[in-house]
Amino acid sequence: MIANLDRSVANVIDGVIALQRAIHADPEIGFDTVRTAARAAVELRQAGLEVQEGIGKTGVVADLIVPGATRKIALRADMDALPMDEETDLPHKSKNPGAAHQCGHDAHTAMLVGAARALAPLRDELPCSVRFIFQPNEEALPGGAPAMIADGCLEGVDRIFGMHVWPLLDTGQIGLVTGPTMAQPDVFRATIVGVGGHAAAPHGCVDPVVAGAAIVNALQSIVARNVDPLDSAVVSTTQFHGGTADNVIPERIQLVGTIRTFKDAVGEQVRTRVREVTETVAAAYGCRAEVSMQIGYPVTVNDPDACDEAEGAISPAVPVTRDVSPSLGGEDFAYYGQKIPAAFLFLGNRDESQGIVHFCHHPRFRVDDAAMPLGVRAWLALVQGARRG
Ligand code: NI
């Protein structure tokens, strides 16, 4: 099987890298992944798959139907870029200002297209049918997965797998976590309202800037003093907006931040405490707080049996390590896992000798060319080694 794998990967890898370069140079954000989806759809049709476009607004679903198979597994890639600028000197650097593939979704799409092209000629030998899912809008709430699911992308599918390039793991291996693997990312927003006025007369004002500073500090006590030390949680205040002049105490300021948790009960506890701390500290400073919460993607939970199936199939072809930590990043792959057994794989994407060390969303993050053939290889091994049905 390994010799065949080598040949299958070799047959498609030039096309995979060319597709990744093309998508990287022309990034699209959110649900506006029209050109990316079209590029994928063309290659999937050329490979002889049954292709549906416009699923979940701008997603693509392609089926490789294996004659006689009753089981179907799905493999999922995301297609969207981030609303940011890239700071690399790559020849295929983003040519679209304010958009860049700094999370590697260009590679996810290209690798999955390559896997589909490599698997199509082998259809009669495969143990089960395969659905290839290409979704938009992974990076922004409400995510792209719910719309894909609403359009039926999981109908008839027994199990789903996803893969993400992972700069915390050296290139050359796949990382796998059983159970909670990505966090729930909630957003809190607070407006702190005081009484504005002349900065030379603070006694005549109620200063929301000072209250806001106290709130930012007090919020740090939630993880330290309220959450069970054996559970994980993050509270990060990431925006603090207010004021227009050096001599004006503003009437109000805004705070925005993120809450990351792995358990529903911990998430509920932290959201409640963020609200209480913000309101009561504001009150202690004579201000009023208006707090709102935006509930993020659910926790991404890897099904133990789906992990075992993936590890058993992939490990003869690409080393699989369980020595990898869950991430407090969020991932809308979680929605698929709420419907059917799912496993989300981390594809090693780190090589210090090439300076490939930046985490996803960093302006100098980049995909390791050496990781892409391994990602394709892992997809092929997963399908060829999947349980027959
Ligand atoms: Ni991502």
Side-chain angles (χ1 to χ4, degrees):
M1 179 176 124
I2 298 298
N4 290 341
L5 264 182
D6 289 342
R7 195 163 52 244
S8 293
V9 173
N11 284 343
V12 299
I13 193 61
D14 288 350
V16 168
I17 290 177
L19 181 58
Q20 183 262 336
R21 303 271 195 268
I23 295 171
H24 191 93
D26 185 17
E28 298 174 289
I29 294 169
F31 283 102
D32 298 328
T33 53
V34 178
R35 295 184 300 277
T36 308
R39 287 179 199 278
V42 165
E43 295 203 24
L44 295 163
R45 281 209 180 86
Q46 281 171 353
L49 276 71
E50 292 175 23
V51 179
Q52 302 173 70
E53 293 178 78
I55 306 296
K57 296 187 184 169
T58 45
V60 178
V61 171
D63 278 325
L64 182 58
I65 306 294
V66 171
T70 54
R71 187 169 187 249
K72 184 185 284 184
I73 63 171
L75 312 181
R76 171 274 206 174
D78 39 17
M79 301 189 287
D80 55 319
L82 284 157
M84 63 184 288
D85 286 317
E86 173 176 359
E87 293 177 17
T88 73
D89 50 10
L90 294 170
H92 51 282
K93 183 176 174 174
S94 169
K95 61 181 173 58
N96 303 342
H101 267 293
Q102 298 313 99
C103 200
H105 299 187
D106 49 344
H108 302 166
T109 297
M111 291 189 296
L112 193 57
V113 168
R117 290 178 50 217
L119 288 166
L122 309 175
R123 124 179 22 217
D124 292 336
E125 306 158 24
L126 299 180
C128 58
S129 294
V130 188
R131 173 164 289 175
F132 301 89
I133 295 175
F134 299 85
Q135 69 150 83
N137 201 48
E138 192 287 317
E139 294 287 2
L141 290 170
M148 299 291 293
I149 294 168
D151 278 358
C153 79
L154 294 184
E155 281 169 22
V157 177
D158 298 281
R159 189 161 278 197
I160 185 166
F161 299 92
M163 188 190 291
H164 205 295
V165 290
W166 206 241
L168 299 180
L169 196 62
D170 284 340
T171 300
Q173 52 193 334
I174 296 271
L176 193 49
V177 176
T178 302
T181 187
M182 303 283 283
Q184 174 165 332
D186 303 318
V187 178
F188 66 89
R189 292 184 174 81
T191 300
I192 313 303
V193 184
V195 178
H198 202 295
H203 58 290
C205 305
V206 179
D207 188 348
V209 176
V210 174
I215 291 166
V216 171
N217 278 319
L219 289 175
Q220 290 309 304
S221 73
I222 296 171
V223 173
R225 301 290 86 178
N226 299 137
V227 174
D228 184 329
L230 297 178
D231 286 320
S232 297
V234 172
V235 176
S236 291
T237 305
T238 53
Q239 298 180 41
F240 190 131
H241 300 290
T244 54
D246 58 53
N247 56 0
V248 176
I249 290 174
E251 182 89 356
R252 56 178 57 79
I253 61 116
Q254 272 90 32
L255 302 175
V256 180
T258 186
I259 299 168
R260 306 291 172 117
T261 52
F262 280 122
K263 291 180 181 169
D264 290 345
V266 178
E268 184 64 42
Q269 177 196 26
V270 174
R271 289 190 298 272
T272 299
R273 285 297 291 150
V274 165
R275 186 180 291 277
E276 287 173 356
V277 167
T278 303
E279 289 174 350
T280 54
V281 173
Y285 282 78
C287 294
R288 177 168 56 82
E290 297 161 1
V291 183
S292 66
M293 291 284 168
Q294 187 174 21
I295 303 299
Y297 302 150
V299 178
T300 301
V301 181
N302 277 356
D303 175 76
D305 193 54
C307 287
D308 287 347
E309 182 176 19
E311 182 174 20
I314 294 171
S315 58
V318 181
V320 175
T321 178
R322 301 268 186 155
D323 187 19
V324 57
S325 298
S327 166
L328 284 138
E331 170 58 61
D332 82 345
F333 186 78
Y335 289 109
Y336 302 116
Q338 288 187 324
K339 300 287 183 190
I340 58 175
F344 195 63
L345 315 172
F346 295 139
L347 174 65
N349 188 86
R350 181 182 185 86
D351 181 354
E352 289 188 23
S353 72
Q354 296 185 73
I356 299 176
V357 295
H358 299 290
F359 197 60
C360 305
H361 297 203
H362 189 282
R364 288 193 293 284
F365 162 87
R366 64 188 169 104
V367 171
D368 185 355
D369 284 352
M372 285 190 276
L374 293 165
V376 176
R377 191 177 171 89
W379 279 140
L380 301 186
L382 174 52
V383 172
Q384 292 183 281
R387 291 182 199 140
R388 193 163 288 279

